[in-house]
Amino acid sequence: MSYSTATAVGPVTLDDVRGARKMLSGVSRMTALEGSRHLSSLVGAPVHLKCENLQRTGSFKLRGAYVRIAGLLPEERAAGVVAASAGNHAQGVALASSLLGVRSTVFMPKGAPLPKVSATREYGAEVRLHGQVVDETLAAAQEYAERTGAVFIHPFDHPDVIAGQGTVGLEILEQCPEVRTVVVGVGGGGLLAGIAVAVKAVRPDVRVVGVQAAGAAAYPPSLAAGRPVAVEHPATMADGIRVGRPGEVPFGIIRELVDEVRTVSEDELSTALLLCLERAKLVVEPAGASPVAALLSDPGTFAGPVVAVLSGGNVDPVLMEGVLRHGMAAQGRYLAVRLRLTDRPGALATLLGVLSAADANVLDVSHLRTDPRLGLTEAEVELHLETKGSEHCAEVGRALREAGYTVAG
């Protein structure tokens, strides 16, 4: 089926996306498209990063939220709007509402990162914390809408929202006319659906690939079943795509237009986030790094030039620290070991000397002397080490064993 005309399947057309772009003029930014030499060398073709992490509010969500709210009737605006989000949609709705002079209430999961909660309030929304996952928060926001008459602004399951997100696709086609593959992270599906509408309508030959976290991958079983299927207890560090069930509207578009949906592991997500920070000098949240994770996991299967959409950069600093250590461990650059030694003067210094000779950088030491598990003359030491890769980790372990230490972990 060809989509070279101004229309596309389902309720969202290329004309809708173009109209959304006019509406967003002066509101959203045309974000940068940055080349990545490292990823290009892995893929064997040019790879570009679409930096929606540098968008206003730190993610693409402002686009869809503004288009949806701007399209409300005067009486609907007077009633106010309500939304539910783990953070990025929340900020998009809050800022869009403030720009349009509309009162907003935003429901967020109780575990939402504090920086996202604070930013949502600063953009002018009333924040209410409810539920543990986005689906529970969505239900609370919908109940609030029914009770108060406020207009519910869905994060992904509405044509106006999808049209707004699709403006990212128009920008990609302008910034990289020779693009052959576009890779997009997917939770509920609004961004992927919008980009697919825009890209396939103009360039049906471009391959559009969605990426989900394996622990919250509702699209693969849904596409196999031909209908949205819920995943119980979605679990991933990528809170921006931790959605248990695809939206009805984006699902129909994705089923028709998207070429493939892949999954990535938590190790791959953390490694991708670390790469974005170290190689591209870009702060990206785990959900935003998911397309990079897909490229790293199987680089030879992407035809270039490739555009990977970094959908957001709103990451909790506490989570960032943990994710970076996780990513370093996945690359063999971070090692935690626990061992016992004789509790005598100089014993710890001797151990540190062994590690120094093995060229391991000690980041942290925990020294335990009093514990029922320990003998009278024993002490337990846990060390966090910076290493140079998997081979170096093995060398460090070997050096410790040769020095007479029993490594427990």
Side-chain angles (χ1 to χ4, degrees), residues 62-96:
L62 172 65
R63 298 173 184 261
Y66 188 91
V67 172
R68 173 76 173 99
I69 298 169
L72 296 178
L73 298 172
E75 57 269 25
E76 292 175 318
R77 292 194 189 193
V81 299
V82 60
S85 167
N88 287 339
H89 178 62
Q91 293 174 71
V93 168
L95 178 56

mmCIF file of all heavy atoms in Angstrom, residues 62-96:
data_model
loop_
_atom_site.group_PDB
_atom_site.id
_atom_site.type_symbol
_atom_site.label_atom_id
_atom_site.label_comp_id
_atom_site.label_asym_id
_atom_site.label_seq_id
_atom_site.Cartn_x
_atom_site.Cartn_y
_atom_site.Cartn_z
ATOM 1 N N LEU A 62 5.342 18.202 24.609
ATOM 2 C CA LEU A 62 4.715 19.513 24.464
ATOM 3 C C LEU A 62 3.962 19.610 23.144
ATOM 4 O O LEU A 62 2.895 20.238 23.069
ATOM 5 C CB LEU A 62 5.775 20.613 24.541
ATOM 6 C CG LEU A 62 5.297 22.040 24.219
ATOM 7 C CD1 LEU A 62 4.283 22.509 25.249
ATOM 8 C CD2 LEU A 62 6.475 22.993 24.117
ATOM 9 N N ARG A 63 4.491 19.002 22.092
ATOM 10 C CA ARG A 63 3.896 19.098 20.765
ATOM 11 C C ARG A 63 2.441 18.618 20.777
ATOM 12 O O ARG A 63 1.526 19.343 20.392
ATOM 13 C CB ARG A 63 4.712 18.276 19.767
ATOM 14 C CG ARG A 63 6.161 18.736 19.580
ATOM 15 C CD ARG A 63 6.917 17.740 18.706
ATOM 16 N NE ARG A 63 8.328 18.043 18.538
ATOM 17 C CZ ARG A 63 8.861 18.657 17.487
ATOM 18 N NH1 ARG A 63 8.084 19.065 16.500
ATOM 19 N NH2 ARG A 63 10.169 18.855 17.402
ATOM 20 N N GLY A 64 2.239 17.378 21.187
ATOM 21 C CA GLY A 64 0.892 16.814 21.174
ATOM 22 C C GLY A 64 -0.042 17.468 22.165
ATOM 23 O O GLY A 64 -1.228 17.684 21.878
ATOM 24 N N ALA A 65 0.476 17.789 23.342
ATOM 25 C CA ALA A 65 -0.363 18.403 24.373
ATOM 26 C C ALA A 65 -0.878 19.761 23.913
ATOM 27 O O ALA A 65 -2.059 20.097 24.095
ATOM 28 C CB ALA A 65 0.423 18.541 25.674
ATOM 29 N N TYR A 66 -0.001 20.553 23.311
ATOM 30 C CA TYR A 66 -0.412 21.894 22.874
ATOM 31 C C TYR A 66 -1.464 21.805 21.766
ATOM 32 O O TYR A 66 -2.464 22.537 21.784
ATOM 33 C CB TYR A 66 0.802 22.684 22.380
ATOM 34 C CG TYR A 66 0.485 24.136 22.089
ATOM 35 C CD1 TYR A 66 0.620 25.101 23.074
ATOM 36 C CD2 TYR A 66 0.030 24.531 20.823
ATOM 37 C CE1 TYR A 66 0.324 26.428 22.822
ATOM 38 C CE2 TYR A 66 -0.272 25.861 20.561
ATOM 39 C CZ TYR A 66 -0.126 26.804 21.560
ATOM 40 O OH TYR A 66 -0.440 28.113 21.310
ATOM 41 N N VAL A 67 -1.254 20.931 20.790
ATOM 42 C CA VAL A 67 -2.210 20.793 19.691
ATOM 43 C C VAL A 67 -3.578 20.358 20.212
ATOM 44 O O VAL A 67 -4.619 20.876 19.800
ATOM 45 C CB VAL A 67 -1.687 19.794 18.639
ATOM 46 C CG1 VAL A 67 -2.745 19.486 17.588
ATOM 47 C CG2 VAL A 67 -0.432 20.349 17.973
ATOM 48 N N ARG A 68 -3.580 19.433 21.148
ATOM 49 C CA ARG A 68 -4.853 18.942 21.717
ATOM 50 C C ARG A 68 -5.583 20.048 22.461
ATOM 51 O O ARG A 68 -6.794 20.247 22.279
ATOM 52 C CB ARG A 68 -4.562 17.774 22.660
ATOM 53 C CG ARG A 68 -5.766 17.261 23.451
ATOM 54 C CD ARG A 68 -6.676 16.424 22.591
ATOM 55 N NE ARG A 68 -7.722 15.814 23.398
ATOM 56 C CZ ARG A 68 -8.965 16.280 23.505
ATOM 57 N NH1 ARG A 68 -9.331 17.388 22.856
ATOM 58 N NH2 ARG A 68 -9.844 15.652 24.261
ATOM 59 N N ILE A 69 -4.894 20.775 23.321
ATOM 60 C CA ILE A 69 -5.546 21.799 24.144
ATOM 61 C C ILE A 69 -5.940 23.005 23.292
ATOM 62 O O ILE A 69 -7.006 23.601 23.490
ATOM 63 C CB ILE A 69 -4.630 22.211 25.316
ATOM 64 C CG1 ILE A 69 -4.376 20.995 26.222
ATOM 65 C CG2 ILE A 69 -5.251 23.339 26.134
ATOM 66 C CD1 ILE A 69 -3.293 21.204 27.265
ATOM 67 N N ALA A 70 -5.091 23.358 22.336
ATOM 68 C CA ALA A 70 -5.412 24.499 21.465
ATOM 69 C C ALA A 70 -6.668 24.244 20.640
ATOM 70 O O ALA A 70 -7.353 25.194 20.233
ATOM 71 C CB ALA A 70 -4.236 24.791 20.539
ATOM 72 N N GLY A 71 -6.997 22.992 20.406
ATOM 73 C CA GLY A 71 -8.167 22.645 19.619
ATOM 74 C C GLY A 71 -9.463 22.576 20.408
ATOM 75 O O GLY A 71 -10.527 22.303 19.822
ATOM 76 N N LEU A 72 -9.425 22.826 21.712
ATOM 77 C CA LEU A 72 -10.636 22.761 22.531
ATOM 78 C C LEU A 72 -11.552 23.950 22.262
ATOM 79 O O LEU A 72 -11.095 25.050 21.930
ATOM 80 C CB LEU A 72 -10.262 22.742 24.017
ATOM 81 C CG LEU A 72 -9.466 21.532 24.525
ATOM 82 C CD1 LEU A 72 -9.141 21.709 26.004
ATOM 83 C CD2 LEU A 72 -10.245 20.235 24.294
ATOM 84 N N LEU A 73 -12.832 23.724 22.434
ATOM 85 C CA LEU A 73 -13.812 24.805 22.325
ATOM 86 C C LEU A 73 -13.686 25.738 23.533
ATOM 87 O O LEU A 73 -13.182 25.326 24.593
ATOM 88 C CB LEU A 73 -15.225 24.221 22.259
ATOM 89 C CG LEU A 73 -15.525 23.317 21.059
ATOM 90 C CD1 LEU A 73 -16.900 22.653 21.230
ATOM 91 C CD2 LEU A 73 -15.451 24.095 19.759
ATOM 92 N N PRO A 74 -14.149 26.975 23.431
ATOM 93 C CA PRO A 74 -14.040 27.919 24.556
ATOM 94 C C PRO A 74 -14.652 27.386 25.845
ATOM 95 O O PRO A 74 -14.076 27.565 26.931
ATOM 96 C CB PRO A 74 -14.786 29.154 24.043
ATOM 97 C CG PRO A 74 -14.644 29.088 22.564
ATOM 98 C CD PRO A 74 -14.683 27.629 22.216
ATOM 99 N N GLU A 75 -15.805 26.731 25.752
ATOM 100 C CA GLU A 75 -16.434 26.200 26.961
ATOM 101 C C GLU A 75 -15.622 25.045 27.559
ATOM 102 O O GLU A 75 -15.614 24.825 28.776
ATOM 103 C CB GLU A 75 -17.873 25.755 26.687
ATOM 104 C CG GLU A 75 -18.048 24.704 25.591
ATOM 105 C CD GLU A 75 -18.268 25.318 24.217
ATOM 106 O OE1 GLU A 75 -17.826 26.471 23.996
ATOM 107 O OE2 GLU A 75 -18.896 24.636 23.370
ATOM 108 N N GLU A 76 -14.932 24.290 26.709
ATOM 109 C CA GLU A 76 -14.079 23.205 27.208
ATOM 110 C C GLU A 76 -12.856 23.781 27.913
ATOM 111 O O GLU A 76 -12.438 23.272 28.974
ATOM 112 C CB GLU A 76 -13.662 22.300 26.048
ATOM 113 C CG GLU A 76 -14.805 21.495 25.452
ATOM 114 C CD GLU A 76 -14.386 20.694 24.233
ATOM 115 O OE1 GLU A 76 -13.625 21.240 23.393
ATOM 116 O OE2 GLU A 76 -14.821 19.530 24.101
ATOM 117 N N ARG A 77 -12.279 24.815 27.346
ATOM 118 C CA ARG A 77 -11.130 25.455 28.007
ATOM 119 C C ARG A 77 -11.536 26.008 29.368
ATOM 120 O O ARG A 77 -10.766 25.926 30.336
ATOM 121 C CB ARG A 77 -10.590 26.588 27.139
ATOM 122 C CG ARG A 77 -9.945 26.150 25.838
ATOM 123 C CD ARG A 77 -9.149 27.316 25.249
ATOM 124 N NE ARG A 77 -8.668 27.036 23.912
ATOM 125 C CZ ARG A 77 -7.754 27.769 23.290
ATOM 126 N NH1 ARG A 77 -7.254 28.850 23.891
ATOM 127 N NH2 ARG A 77 -7.358 27.467 22.073
ATOM 128 N N ALA A 78 -12.734 26.560 29.450
ATOM 129 C CA ALA A 78 -13.204 27.134 30.714
ATOM 130 C C ALA A 78 -13.326 26.084 31.802
ATOM 131 O O ALA A 78 -13.174 26.379 32.990
ATOM 132 C CB ALA A 78 -14.542 27.834 30.487
ATOM 133 N N ALA A 79 -13.614 24.828 31.408
ATOM 134 C CA ALA A 79 -13.751 23.745 32.381
ATOM 135 C C ALA A 79 -12.412 23.229 32.882
ATOM 136 O O ALA A 79 -12.336 22.487 33.862
ATOM 137 C CB ALA A 79 -14.550 22.592 31.766
ATOM 138 N N GLY A 80 -11.323 23.629 32.210
ATOM 139 C CA GLY A 80 -10.003 23.155 32.601
ATOM 140 C C GLY A 80 -9.691 21.798 31.990
ATOM 141 O O GLY A 80 -10.550 21.146 31.393
ATOM 142 N N VAL A 81 -8.431 21.380 32.132
ATOM 143 C CA VAL A 81 -8.005 20.087 31.602
ATOM 144 C C VAL A 81 -7.386 19.265 32.718
ATOM 145 O O VAL A 81 -6.926 19.790 33.727
ATOM 146 C CB VAL A 81 -7.000 20.256 30.447
ATOM 147 C CG1 VAL A 81 -7.623 21.027 29.294
ATOM 148 C CG2 VAL A 81 -5.711 20.924 30.918
ATOM 149 N N VAL A 82 -7.376 17.950 32.494
ATOM 150 C CA VAL A 82 -6.751 17.028 33.439
ATOM 151 C C VAL A 82 -5.959 16.013 32.640
ATOM 152 O O VAL A 82 -6.341 15.638 31.528
ATOM 153 C CB VAL A 82 -7.796 16.335 34.344
ATOM 154 C CG1 VAL A 82 -8.792 15.523 33.515
ATOM 155 C CG2 VAL A 82 -7.112 15.449 35.376
ATOM 156 N N ALA A 83 -4.830 15.580 33.192
ATOM 157 C CA ALA A 83 -3.968 14.628 32.498
ATOM 158 C C ALA A 83 -3.367 13.661 33.503
ATOM 159 O O ALA A 83 -3.431 13.873 34.722
ATOM 160 C CB ALA A 83 -2.863 15.355 31.739
ATOM 161 N N ALA A 84 -2.787 12.593 32.970
ATOM 162 C CA ALA A 84 -2.076 11.614 33.793
ATOM 163 C C ALA A 84 -0.776 11.265 33.098
ATOM 164 O O ALA A 84 -0.753 11.069 31.879
ATOM 165 C CB ALA A 84 -2.924 10.359 33.981
ATOM 166 N N SER A 85 0.301 11.185 33.868
ATOM 167 C CA SER A 85 1.603 10.967 33.243
ATOM 168 C C SER A 85 2.653 10.630 34.277
ATOM 169 O O SER A 85 2.560 11.042 35.430
ATOM 170 C CB SER A 85 2.023 12.230 32.485
ATOM 171 O OG SER A 85 3.375 12.190 32.109
ATOM 172 N N ALA A 86 3.683 9.882 33.828
ATOM 173 C CA ALA A 86 4.841 9.642 34.684
ATOM 174 C C ALA A 86 5.755 10.854 34.740
ATOM 175 O O ALA A 86 6.666 10.907 35.544
ATOM 176 C CB ALA A 86 5.629 8.434 34.164
ATOM 177 N N GLY A 87 5.513 11.836 33.864
ATOM 178 C CA GLY A 87 6.309 13.044 33.964
ATOM 179 C C GLY A 87 6.394 13.889 32.718
ATOM 180 O O GLY A 87 6.157 15.093 32.765
ATOM 181 N N ASN A 88 6.735 13.313 31.573
ATOM 182 C CA ASN A 88 6.952 14.124 30.384
ATOM 183 C C ASN A 88 5.651 14.711 29.833
ATOM 184 O O ASN A 88 5.589 15.891 29.494
ATOM 185 C CB ASN A 88 7.667 13.303 29.309
ATOM 186 C CG ASN A 88 9.128 13.058 29.653
ATOM 187 O OD1 ASN A 88 9.715 13.776 30.449
ATOM 188 N ND2 ASN A 88 9.710 12.032 29.069
ATOM 189 N N HIS A 89 4.612 13.894 29.713
ATOM 190 C CA HIS A 89 3.310 14.402 29.272
ATOM 191 C C HIS A 89 2.775 15.404 30.287
ATOM 192 O O HIS A 89 2.151 16.399 29.921
ATOM 193 C CB HIS A 89 2.342 13.238 29.092
ATOM 194 C CG HIS A 89 0.957 13.642 28.680
ATOM 195 N ND1 HIS A 89 0.687 14.291 27.501
ATOM 196 C CD2 HIS A 89 -0.248 13.487 29.311
ATOM 197 C CE1 HIS A 89 -0.624 14.520 27.398
ATOM 198 N NE2 HIS A 89 -1.202 14.043 28.487
ATOM 199 N N ALA A 90 3.034 15.136 31.560
ATOM 200 C CA ALA A 90 2.600 16.053 32.614
ATOM 201 C C ALA A 90 3.173 17.447 32.387
ATOM 202 O O ALA A 90 2.458 18.458 32.461
ATOM 203 C CB ALA A 90 3.044 15.514 33.980
ATOM 204 N N GLN A 91 4.457 17.508 32.109
ATOM 205 C CA GLN A 91 5.099 18.811 31.885
ATOM 206 C C GLN A 91 4.603 19.456 30.606
ATOM 207 O O GLN A 91 4.418 20.678 30.538
ATOM 208 C CB GLN A 91 6.614 18.622 31.851
ATOM 209 C CG GLN A 91 7.187 18.213 33.205
ATOM 210 C CD GLN A 91 8.659 17.887 33.131
ATOM 211 O OE1 GLN A 91 9.486 18.776 32.965
ATOM 212 N NE2 GLN A 91 8.999 16.623 33.239
ATOM 213 N N GLY A 92 4.387 18.639 29.576
ATOM 214 C CA GLY A 92 3.870 19.174 28.323
ATOM 215 C C GLY A 92 2.491 19.780 28.493
ATOM 216 O O GLY A 92 2.217 20.890 28.006
ATOM 217 N N VAL A 93 1.611 19.093 29.213
ATOM 218 C CA VAL A 93 0.261 19.598 29.464
ATOM 219 C C VAL A 93 0.316 20.860 30.322
ATOM 220 O O VAL A 93 -0.398 21.841 30.072
ATOM 221 C CB VAL A 93 -0.604 18.523 30.137
ATOM 222 C CG1 VAL A 93 -1.907 19.114 30.672
ATOM 223 C CG2 VAL A 93 -0.918 17.395 29.147
ATOM 224 N N ALA A 94 1.162 20.839 31.343
ATOM 225 C CA ALA A 94 1.257 21.994 32.239
ATOM 226 C C ALA A 94 1.707 23.239 31.488
ATOM 227 O O ALA A 94 1.104 24.315 31.635
ATOM 228 C CB ALA A 94 2.218 21.684 33.385
ATOM 229 N N LEU A 95 2.758 23.124 30.676
ATOM 230 C CA LEU A 95 3.246 24.295 29.942
ATOM 231 C C LEU A 95 2.246 24.722 28.864
ATOM 232 O O LEU A 95 1.959 25.916 28.721
ATOM 233 C CB LEU A 95 4.602 23.999 29.307
ATOM 234 C CG LEU A 95 5.188 25.148 28.475
ATOM 235 C CD1 LEU A 95 5.304 26.427 29.295
ATOM 236 C CD2 LEU A 95 6.536 24.767 27.884
ATOM 237 N N ALA A 96 1.705 23.750 28.120
ATOM 238 C CA ALA A 96 0.734 24.093 27.071
ATOM 239 C C ALA A 96 -0.471 24.813 27.667
ATOM 240 O O ALA A 96 -0.961 25.801 27.112
ATOM 241 C CB ALA A 96 0.295 22.829 26.339
#
